[in-house]
Amino acid sequence: MRARRELDADPGARNPVAVAQAVQATETVEGILDQVLFVNDKNGYSVAVVVIPQEHGDFRRVTVVGNLAGLEVGATIRAVGGFEKHPRFGEQFHVVDFETLRPAGAVAIERYLASEIKGIGPRLARRIAEHFGDTLGEVLDNAPERMREVPGIGAAAARLIATAWRDASGLRELTVFLRGHGLAATHARRIHKFYGKDALDVVKRDPYVLARTIHGIGFRTADAIAEKLGIPRNSIQRARAAVLYILERMSDEGHVYSPFEYLEGQFRTALEMDPDLAHDAVNELAASGEVIAEEADDHIAIYLARLHEAEVNVATRIAELNAGRAMNKDLIDRAVAAAIKSSALDLSPEQKSALRCALASRVTVITGGPGTGKTTLLRSLLVALADVGLKPTLAAPTGRAARRLQEASGRDAKTIHRLLEYDPQSGGFIRGKNFPLRTNYLIIDEASMMDVELASSLLSALMPNCSLLLVGDRDQLPSVGPGSVLKDVIASDFVPVVQLKEVYRQARRSLIVANAHRLNRGEFPQISNDAEGDFFFFERNAAEDVLATIKQLVQQRLIGRFGISDPREIQVLTPMNRGPLGTHTLNRELQALLNPAGREIRSGDRTFREGDRVIQLRNNYDKGVFNGSIGRIAEINSEKARVRVAFEETHAEYDLSELDELALAYAISVHKSQGSQYPAIVMPIHSTHYLMLRRNLLYTAITRAERVCVLVGTKSALQQAVRNQDERLRFSRLAQRLHVD
């Protein structure tokens, strides 16, 4: 198989926004940037207010528009362009070119200090400006330690001001350099934050480092900078960067490694490079320890070092745990008897067998679809473990899954991240081999969501005498991150696996459950659209009709039925991000429908409003928010360009440069919905999704619904999803590492 992401895909936009009418560069304005009203992160187009000093101490406020990447409140701008009369917004100065100047006067520097340096508010900035007057700029340049002359400024604050002032100069230089290469101010700030005062030197020395370290900058953008700096296309430097970039892109698609032949093919086609350079680059990267190359069955597997380490560690730790001493038979019999006695429902022979296996084995997998009694089995297991004096720890990969586990078990459950206790200072988990979890039995629910790196961290934190139970549905989509840990462990045949197949009577009454199992058998779902049922299919052929029906369902038709009283209880799922029925279009339409007005902030071509439902797009350990977490915008501070989001387990603040970590979540991809359940699911299924219409994707979507599931689209698209069993297998060798002949 081949990874299908286009190497050309690059989130960094490079085309400037064209001004509607040509503007002659006949005038110049120079003043202090007072306010930034709007910034398009993709191309730097901005709307800002500049205060221009006039005679007699007066000021004139001018609205300036254009490509103003790198502007900072409080800085002085000298812009060339011309004034235009906008029919709606009045007089505006359209910028053709500009330069950002270091704040020249005391007033400008005062604004800069107050707005750009944390801890220096308007009052303290005013005292600094009054103390030094017109010499303030010279003092900051040459004797910043003199800040301590100002009452209220100690040594720490003086160092903070000096560092910020020095670094700001580097940021401006970096911004000017990057502007010429199509990168907006947001990227400049992010690069500067990562590399500090040496950022420009780092970029000039090796622009390819940006593609590996800065979120939102792709290989093609770094490549364009490298070309302008004179780095040859067939250089070993470019080849090394290309190998690392391809491996990172493949990990984004879920692969743990890449066959070497795929790398060669990418060099030949997507990169137009000599394929022999792939061999040379891999050898150099292997010598430096950045990649690992090893023989697989019929090819050479090329790993990023961290993913190789994670995969080997998962296999090693499972083998070590599985080799531990099992519970003796008498204890198992006693525990099973206690569980059977306490159960309100009669346990089936299948459930009793699973219960005994979970007690007798050090590592066990229990898998099964909806309605097969996993929750009943879990409750019985907790009773059995308590009877023999064991107090298990419960966890799941996401906050929603952990909450559901807690509700189902009546016991405390945490996310794996919180269980392992992330430490922002070290950038890793506190719990590990040297400080393990104090538990002798660990239960992980929704284990299909656990990627290889998270599994490695978790297994490293278990004591040698700990038992591990993985509970999940093998038919769900694999994890968002690299690897297919649950499926690989099952496929290895290394540890006991119990598959629950019997669907219980109360679950059989649900068409959601019945149709999920019909799907797994390759059968077309039962569609009766019974008003008393919980599964509906509305046939609509045109994409615009599908969209119109979804909007009616979310705003009106589902409200007041199935116990749903608020649109917030309805989650729209879709197979793809792009296209007329992808997340981007659906979110734009649903936001306009459900949250059309209010305090807002713009980031690129997106608008966020207070009250919007949003989703986190990548792990941010510093904020304690993880990929797939859904929250609601609680507050937008327009003046400081900051957004506060209330998630289920925490609150997090984002500045303008961090908003690309968020997306609207009125509609989310099916993949992002894993581990979650919602009162109501609405999903388009249409020919425009043909690339993604697969059985396990539809199965995952249907099983996210608690009370009602509604599909809207064409029967042909639904039939295609039922027929297509392609699971897009991932490159992983965990099963082989575990397999015992």
Side-chain angles (χ1 to χ4, degrees), residues 46 79 82 131 163-164 185 253 280 300 317 320 349 389 430 493 601 662 710 716-717:
S46 308
H131 183 84
T163 301
E253 294 176 356
D280 296 338
I300 302 297
R317 294 292 293 132
E320 290 173 349
I430 294 174
D493 201 26
I601 190 169
L662 295 175
V710 185
S716 61

Side-chain angles (χ1 to χ4, degrees), residues 577-596:
N577 289 319
R578 301 192 181 279
L581 295 171
T583 58
H584 301 330
T585 299
L586 287 169
N587 273 313
R588 188 166 57 247
E589 294 283 338
L590 292 172
Q591 182 194 44
L593 182 72
L594 301 174
N595 194 26

